[in-house]
């Protein structure tokens, strides 16, 4: 399975991308740090994002993740893209007839556009709640997770980062499952009281 779903299907939500980098690269993340490239070592990275917005007929979560799984200038998409498209189609998403060339916009676009980077897994947190800050905070507190650079991918946040290098992806997955299970139980208990 190329994705894990924490919750019920929804048109919007938060997500974490597990990105595998097969060799050392330098990446300029758009205008971040005035375009100065950052060196990334081979290994595993996680990126936290969200796609919210309730415009009628829109499907921000599918649109955002399918965009992330595409590359610009007609280059091959990430292998996970077809699995994500199938998933979202089963949720009622209708793919637009014409898709223009992807333009690099968000910080993460600059990494995901590189052939050395591949999205290996997507963790979906469907729903209207903005979980991005909590997920990023949880990742920041995990042993073996280190921020790539302060504020990278988090320009709309008050502090922190949304891109981390991780040593042990299995530990990250286990911790996310534990945190999400606790969060769901907490929400259920607060509705009962």
């Amino acid at each position: 399975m190329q994705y894990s779903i924490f919750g019920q299907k929804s048109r919007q939500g938060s997500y974490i991308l597990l990105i595998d980098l097969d060799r050392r690269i330098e990446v300029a993340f758009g205008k971040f740090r005035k375009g100065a490239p950052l060196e990334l070592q081979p290994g595993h990275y996680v990126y936290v994002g969200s796609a919210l917005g309730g415009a009628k007929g829109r499907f921000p979560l599918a649109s955002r993740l399918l965009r992330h799984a595409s590359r610009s200038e007609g280059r091959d998409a990430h292998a996970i893209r077809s699995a994500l498209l199938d998933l979202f189609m089963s949720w009622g998403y209708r793919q637009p007839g014409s898709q223009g060339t992807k333009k690099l916009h968000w910080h993460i676009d600059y990494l995901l556009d590189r052939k050395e980077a591949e999205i290996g897994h997507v963790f979906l947190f469907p729903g209207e709640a903005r979980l991005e800050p909590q997920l990023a905070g949880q990742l920041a507190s995990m042993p073996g997770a280190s921020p790539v650079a302060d504020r990278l991918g988090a320009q709309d946040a008050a502090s922190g980062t949304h891109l981390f290098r991780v040593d042990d992806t299995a530990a990250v997955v286990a911790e996310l499952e534990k945190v999400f299970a606790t969060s769901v139980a907490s929400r259920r208990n607060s509705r009962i009281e």
Side-chain angles (χ1 to χ4, degrees), residues 5 23 36 41 52 57 75 77 84 99 108 110 117 140 160-161 164 170 181:
I5 304 168
R23 66 179 161 210
Q41 296 299 322
L52 304 173
R75 290 191 288 255
L84 290 173
Q99 297 177 358
I108 194 63
Y110 295 89
T161 187
F164 300 85

Side-chain angles (χ1 to χ4, degrees), residues 63-129:
S63 298
R64 179 71 51 84
L65 288 171
L66 291 169
R67 183 184 192 288
H68 283 329
S70 301
R71 291 188 171 97
S72 68
E73 300 176 9
R75 290 191 288 255
D76 289 341
H78 292 256
I80 198 172
R81 191 178 191 288
S82 62
L84 290 173
L85 180 58
D86 289 345
L87 170 68
F88 291 127
M89 298 279 285
S90 77
W91 288 10
Y93 173 73
R94 286 175 289 196
Q95 188 171 3
S98 66
Q99 297 177 358
T101 301
K102 178 180 176 178
K103 293 183 177 151
L104 305 184
H105 175 70
W106 289 286
H107 292 161
I108 194 63
D109 288 344
Y110 295 89
L111 174 58
L112 295 177
D113 208 46
R114 300 289 294 264
K115 66 180 179 184
E116 300 90 352
E118 189 69 32
I119 300 172
H121 198 91
V122 176
F123 303 94
L124 299 154
F125 301 87
E128 297 176 10

Side-chain angles (χ1 to χ4, degrees), residues 156-186:
D156 58 346
S159 64
T161 187
H162 288 178
L163 182 63
F164 300 85
R165 179 169 165 56
V166 294
D167 296 333
D168 183 356
T169 56
V172 169
V173 171
E175 186 66 22
L176 289 173
E177 288 174 343
K178 183 175 79 176
V179 167
F180 190 73
T182 302
S183 172
V184 169
S186 172

Side-chain angles (χ1 to χ4, degrees), residues 45-67:
Y45 293 82
V46 291
Y47 171 75
V48 181
S50 63
L52 304 173
K56 187 174 179 156
R58 304 278 241 150
F59 209 130
L61 186 59
S63 298
R64 179 71 51 84
L65 288 171
L66 291 169
R67 183 184 192 288

